[in-house]
Amino acid sequence: MDAYKVDFHIHTNYSDGLATPVEIVKKAKELEYDMIAITDHDGIDGINEALIAGETAGVKVVPGIELATETEEGIGLHILGYYFDHKDTHLNAVLAALKERRENRNNQLVAVLREMGYDISMEELLERQPNGFIGKPVIARLLAEKGYVGHYKEAFKKGQFLGSDEARKIKKEKILASEAIELIKGAGGIAVLAHPIQTRGVGEPGSEEFYNNMDTIIRRLKIQGLKGLECYHPDQDHEQTMRFVEMAEKYHLHITRGSDFHGKDLADAEPTA
């Protein structure tokens, strides 16, 4: 069978990515992708630009989103949504509420970092992220730019900066995974569990305990309306990928692939198994 080149997990500068939707689409055309999905965090503001660019370039663009959620037990999960109506009234109302929560959290994070002696401000962050989405990676990049850390990933070290106890106490308010699935379904889309290997609090990733607990979680999500599983992701090696493929087949879920790209040039997207 003919193979399709796809990437169903891409972030733009409408969330914490560095490239514009148009830049992503143009590079996808150059790299001969058949289909891509724009999946910005908790927002859909870049979708229209991507759809128009896709029509012009001849690249199939799927409307997408990545929602930060948690289970009833407090296990954090990211739910991807695809093929939904991005103009859906209820969807947009929920996203507006999530935006307000995020802004409140960011103001608290900046205040904590300033108390630690790091001279950063919301004004500086918004200058670097003109579309208004400020996530922790954006804050980390500013800390690196100002010389407080050598590389932005150092800002997440346990006990320091964003990894400090003070910063970690400022929790992101999340919706339930079941609510996210229903929200996507209500807008006519399908819900997919993102990068399952990143799930914490269910055992050492890759252990049998981990896989058994993930099986239980995925089975419950399936009952709640989950339609797919991101089996192919840069953080999942071949063995882990195959275990998730088995789970997807067991529960009759779509198998998806995503690079989880956040950079400037799509050519630098990490490969998957």
Side-chain angles (χ1 to χ4, degrees):
M1 294 187 299
D2 291 335
Y4 284 89
K5 188 173 183 180
V6 302
D7 191 334
F8 272 69
H9 195 157
I10 300 174
H11 298 278
T12 76
N13 67 345
Y14 276 92
S15 62
D16 55 355
L18 297 177
T20 69
V22 173
E23 289 171 335
I24 291 290
V25 172
K26 285 184 176 180
K27 181 57 72 168
K29 175 66 174 180
E30 181 182 322
L31 297 172
E32 299 183 334
Y33 278 87
D34 295 288
M35 188 180 298
I36 63 170
I38 300 301
T39 55
D40 281 320
H41 293 286
D42 298 338
I44 53 178
D45 292 342
I47 287 178
N48 279 332
E49 285 183 30
L51 290 174
I52 293 170
E55 289 181 5
T56 302
V59 176
K60 173 65 176 176
V61 176
V62 175
I65 193 169
E66 183 175 14
L67 293 165
T69 76
E70 61 185 5
T71 66
E72 287 78 359
E73 298 79 19
I75 301 298
L77 301 172
H78 282 202
I79 301 295
L80 293 159
Y82 302 113
Y83 294 107
F84 52 81
D85 175 10
H86 60 290
K87 298 179 181 178
D88 181 80
T89 303
H90 180 56
L91 172 66
N92 279 275
V94 172
L95 296 182
L98 290 176
K99 179 180 179 180
E100 184 175 350
R101 294 182 193 178
R102 184 172 61 250
E103 290 174 348
N104 289 336
R105 184 199 67 164
N106 289 336
N107 285 325
Q108 294 178 58
L109 281 173
V110 168
V112 163
L113 289 169
R114 288 182 66 85
E115 287 176 8
M116 293 179 185
Y118 306 116
D119 183 22
I120 66 170
S121 68
M122 284 301 302
E123 289 74 20
E124 289 176 303
L125 290 166
L126 289 170
E127 285 175 6
R128 288 153 181 79
Q129 205 71 4
N131 290 318
F133 183 100
I134 308 298
K136 284 186 176 180
V138 179
I139 298 173
R141 286 197 287 261
L142 178 59
L143 288 170
E145 182 182 327
K146 302 195 85 168
Y148 294 122
V149 293
H151 189 278
Y152 82 95
K153 290 185 178 180
E154 295 174 21
F156 295 95
K157 284 185 177 180
K158 187 175 181 180
Q160 302 179 45
F161 306 101
L162 295 169
S164 66
D165 290 339
E166 296 85 351
R168 289 169 62 86
K169 287 178 184 177
I170 303 171
K171 300 293 186 181
K172 180 177 183 178
E173 294 184 58
K174 303 175 182 177
I175 61 176
L176 290 174
S178 57
E179 294 174 347
I181 292 170
E182 185 58 35
L183 181 66
I184 293 165
K185 180 181 176 182
I190 63 174
V192 172
L193 176 61
H195 41 63
I197 199 66
Q198 292 185 11
T199 309
R200 297 294 178 261
V202 294
E204 181 66 25
S207 67
E208 285 307 310
E209 178 191 14
F210 173 84
Y211 288 124
N212 289 335
N213 285 328
M214 286 307 301
D215 187 282
T216 299
I217 290 172
I218 290 168
R219 181 173 68 249
R220 182 191 299 175
L221 293 177
K222 165 72 175 183
I223 295 171
Q224 294 171 342
L226 188 75
K227 295 297 184 182
L229 186 63
E230 189 176 48
C231 298
Y232 291 84
H233 182 278
D235 286 354
Q236 293 161 186
D237 63 24
H238 178 76
E239 180 181 350
Q240 294 163 346
T241 294
M242 290 302 100
R243 290 295 294 265
F244 291 127
V245 166
E246 290 174 6
M247 289 186 201
E249 292 176 340
K250 177 181 179 180
Y251 294 111
H252 306 287
L253 297 170
H254 294 294
I255 295 170
T256 69
R257 175 197 178 272
S259 68
D260 206 352
F261 181 69
H262 286 74
K264 186 67 175 176
D265 187 343
L266 189 60
D268 297 327
E270 293 185 64
T272 62

